[in-house]
Amino acid sequence: MVAGREIPIDKNATAMQMAQEIFGPGVTVESASYTGDSDSSGIYSDGDTISPGFMPGDTGVMFSTGSLDGFTHNRPWWWGGSNSSTSQTTGSSGPNGDPMFDAAAGAPTYDASYIDVDFTPTGDLLTMQFVFASEEYPEYAVGSFQDFVGVWINGQQVELSVGDGDIDPNNLNAGANGNLFIDNTNDQYNTEMDGFTVTMTLKIPVNANETNSIRIGIADVTDSNYDSTLIIAGGSVQGSVLAMDDNTWVDPNGIRTLDVLANDTNNGAGSLTVTHINGQAVSAGDTVTLNSGQTVKLNADGTLELAGDGDAEEFTFTYTAENASGVSDTGFVLVDSVPCFVAGTMIETPSGPVPVETLKAGDLVMTRDEGAQPLRWIGERRVSATGNFAPIFIAANTFGAHDGLFLSPLHRVLIRDALAELLFGETEVLVAARDLVNDRSVRRIEGGLVDYVHILFDRHQVVFSAGLETESFLPGPQTANSFEAEIVDEICTLFPELDRETGRGYSPAARRTLKRYEAELLVASGLHAA
């Protein structure tokens, strides 16, 4: 528990002053207007000193669904400390039912607080560093009460590049993108908010050298209870330093070195230096342990060393890069793995089922949506079937009429269940095999070596494997980091429109793919499995 100390907030700041505070190099502000309660916005100062480990910068701008008077308090630890309430709700006269917020949230919104700015950038991409904090944590981290941050550029909503793209508790909590979330229910940080994110980034495409319009703000969703706050670092909406997202892969029991600065942009002074990993200040040689268990070390040459913790899982963390002038940006690192079949799995073709490893490019395979389709590529690799590389066995007739089969842990199975429609609005979803393990009909089997096989079509398909509907290989940002260079070259030759770094240029997934926490919710809600 820490003592409460009130952070200075100038709630009399004009819209133009707030705009000038958050916009940085490479941008000229032309005009600005604010909509919301007069106590729900302001310019803060002394953030690094008064609320260390929390604020995204020493100065910046705040927007709240309540009164910013309740964001921090002057209160000693023995009198409740900095976080004395688990359900703080302060009054706001901000607008209800704003059409842009309502449409983005998919529900009625209340107590909106936002700024509209017209500006001219010199480049075609801006970034914004921010923290989302909320009293909705932890009780309403998942559910309908999703206080929502909205950013629109020239009328188009800008999405976060992790999770489902939303900046709300459902996408950013201890279970979903948990490395990006910090729990404050034990009063470790100087704020009344029960939870908040690490400093995150939003990349905003703009039209260079002409007037653009942006709206940035926050609103309550479904009801007007429980305060939430958007905190934007001063000078962070800029295009001079851009830390671009990185996608990689690491063996659950291995180590991988990643040069996160290689794809970053610095149009300012000097060179870029990594200053923070997942919100924690670092120097060369320092190691940060993520909530998910993996470690990230900053090497002397500026690269990052990722070490697995034995779990095969997708995870995300952030890093901050800064130039010699002190201009910085934050980037996401998304770590993934590749789904594949186990050799021996019988794949349905027009002439009947055949072992997957006997297929070759050009062979016809039966698909759920488009009938017989030709394979474009097939690949195979052999690994030790231990720990999180051990295959998942699905017993016969577990998910309908099918034979028993083995899949890699991240290979997704088509699930058709009324619960899926109730929870996610889709009658059919794709779920990773590892997320279906129940230690009865779906089990992890260890021992020996296993051959994993990948099959690729012109577009993502659902195929019939031992009678069970499962996915084909879906190229994504993990591709370039999961295969040898010559294999990546082969795939990109077949699909020249495919961006080897991002996976863009290939078809979208054949069905909605559930994240791990969504799959856990589906299973916990009573997914039927034999």
Side-chain angles (χ1 to χ4, degrees):
M1 180 178 291
V2 298
R5 185 180 175 192
E6 197 163 328
I7 193 168
I9 304 173
D10 179 8
K11 293 182 299 193
N12 293 318
T14 66
M16 181 59 79
Q17 288 172 328
M18 289 190 288
Q20 295 286 4
E21 170 64 27
I22 61 175
F23 280 85
V27 182
T28 301
V29 176
E30 299 171 6
S31 63
S33 62
Y34 170 71
T35 302
D37 191 291
S38 60
D39 287 336
S40 295
S41 69
I43 296 175
Y44 74 88
S45 56
D46 297 331
D48 291 343
T49 301
I50 295 177
S51 290
F54 172 34
M55 306 300 278
D58 194 46
T59 66
V61 171
M62 305 171 69
F63 299 99
S64 174
T65 62
S67 171
L68 289 173
D69 289 336
F71 184 74
T72 52
H73 300 286
N74 286 319
R75 185 184 295 124
W77 67 266
W78 46 264
W79 190 31
S82 62
N83 184 13
S84 62
S85 172
T86 61
S87 58
Q88 176 168 280
T89 303
T90 56
S92 170
S93 61
N96 302 329
D98 179 272
M100 293 180 74
F101 277 97
D102 282 3
T109 61
Y110 304 85
D111 304 331
S113 172
Y114 58 86
I115 191 171
D116 289 298
V117 183
D118 287 343
F119 64 95
T120 299
T122 57
D124 58 7
L125 186 66
L126 297 181
T127 185
M128 181 179 84
Q129 295 181 78
F130 67 96
V131 164
F132 171 71
S134 181
E135 281 288 270
E136 301 284 0
Y137 296 115
E139 300 92 336
Y140 301 104
V142 178
S144 60
F145 302 101
Q146 294 294 308
D147 292 0
F148 182 84
V149 170
V151 178
W152 294 266
I153 185 69
N154 301 319
Q156 298 296 312
Q157 186 181 355
V158 182
E159 293 190 341
L160 200 65
S161 61
V162 299
D164 63 13
D166 289 343
I167 305 170
D168 63 14
N170 187 66
N171 189 38
L172 302 159
N173 59 64
N177 300 302
N179 291 332
L180 307 180
F181 173 71
I182 298 175
D183 187 344
N184 192 41
T185 53
N186 290 326
D187 202 4
Q188 308 97 308
Y189 298 90
N190 181 34
T191 176
E192 189 62 59
M193 301 293 101
D194 286 347
F196 56 92
T197 67
V198 300
T199 297
M200 300 193 300
T201 180
L202 201 64
K203 295 301 185 285
I204 307 168
V206 293
N207 301 314
N209 302 311
E210 61 181 71
T211 300
N212 292 252
S213 299
I214 193 169
R215 173 173 291 186
I216 307 170
I218 192 169
D220 279 324
V221 178
T222 303
D223 66 15
S224 58
N225 297 328
Y226 292 61
D227 293 348
S228 294
T229 309
L230 168 64
I231 312 156
I232 305 171
S236 71
V237 185
Q238 49 84 27
S240 178
V241 172
L242 296 170
M244 305 305 294
D245 291 353
D246 293 275
N247 299 272
T248 191
W249 179 87
V250 64
D251 186 309
N253 298 296
I255 293 175
R256 190 174 191 87
T257 299
L258 178 65
D259 186 359
V260 292
L261 299 178
N263 63 339
D264 294 350
T265 299
N266 177 26
N267 294 319
S271 58
L272 293 178
T273 302
V274 174
T275 61
H276 294 74
I277 295 174
N278 219 47
Q280 299 184 38
V282 291
S283 300
D286 289 347
T287 298
V288 172
T289 300
L290 303 175
N291 293 342
S292 53
Q294 298 82 8
T295 61
V296 185
K297 177 183 177 182
L298 176 62
N299 296 322
D301 62 359
T303 61
L304 301 184
E305 182 181 283
L306 281 61
D309 68 337
D311 289 336
E313 60 184 327
E314 301 171 1
F315 62 95
T316 302
F317 65 93
T318 68
Y319 72 96
T320 300
E322 183 176 299
N323 71 8
S325 299
V327 181
S328 69
D329 188 26
T330 296
F332 290 112
V333 179
L334 301 96
V335 187
D336 204 349
S337 295
V338 181
C340 41
F341 291 101
V342 171
T345 301
M346 302 300 287
I347 303 297
E348 193 67 34
T349 73
S351 56
V354 301
V356 64
E357 68 274 18
T358 66
L359 292 168
K360 59 183 183 298
D363 286 351
L364 292 177
V365 171
M366 297 304 300
T367 70
R368 165 74 183 279
D369 299 324
E370 296 182 303
Q373 292 294 311
L375 279 179
R376 295 295 303 279
W377 175 83
I378 184 167
E380 186 171 349
R381 61 175 178 164
R382 174 170 292 182
V383 299
S384 176
T386 58
N388 290 286
F389 274 141
I392 306 299
F393 175 70
I394 301 177
N397 304 320
T398 298
F399 300 109
H402 62 83
D403 295 332
L405 75 161
F406 291 88
L407 296 173
S408 72
L410 292 178
H411 200 129
R412 288 179 284 243
V413 177
L414 185 72
I415 297 296
R416 188 182 302 105
D417 196 285
L419 276 172
E421 184 170 18
L422 179 64
L423 293 170
F424 310 112
E426 302 284 349
T427 56
E428 297 180 335
V429 292
L430 288 166
V431 182
R434 63 154 190 211
D435 298 330
L436 296 169
V437 170
N438 57 21
D439 295 326
R440 302 185 315 276
S441 55
V442 184
R443 296 176 290 124
R444 188 183 299 273
I445 306 296
E446 296 197 44
L449 299 174
V450 59
D451 292 315
Y452 285 132
V453 183
H454 317 270
I455 61 173
L456 179 66
F457 297 88
D458 281 322
R459 62 184 295 269
H460 193 226
Q461 298 284 359
V462 173
V463 300
F464 303 92
S465 47
L468 181 64
E469 294 170 329
T470 63
E471 68 170 339
S472 65
F473 176 49
L474 176 62
Q478 83 283 359
T479 303
N481 297 291
S482 302
F483 295 110
E484 292 79 5
E486 58 269 24
I487 294 179
V488 178
D489 289 342
E490 181 182 357
I491 295 173
C492 290
T493 298
L494 291 171
F495 298 90
E497 67 276 15
L498 180 67
D499 187 319
R500 67 177 59 215
E501 298 299 330
T502 66
R504 296 189 182 95
Y506 193 71
S507 79
R511 301 292 189 278
R512 174 172 175 168
T513 60
L514 296 193
K515 301 174 182 63
R516 190 166 197 175
Y517 75 93
E518 292 175 321
E520 290 172 349
L521 177 61
L522 178 63
V523 172
S525 299
L527 171 67
H528 176 72

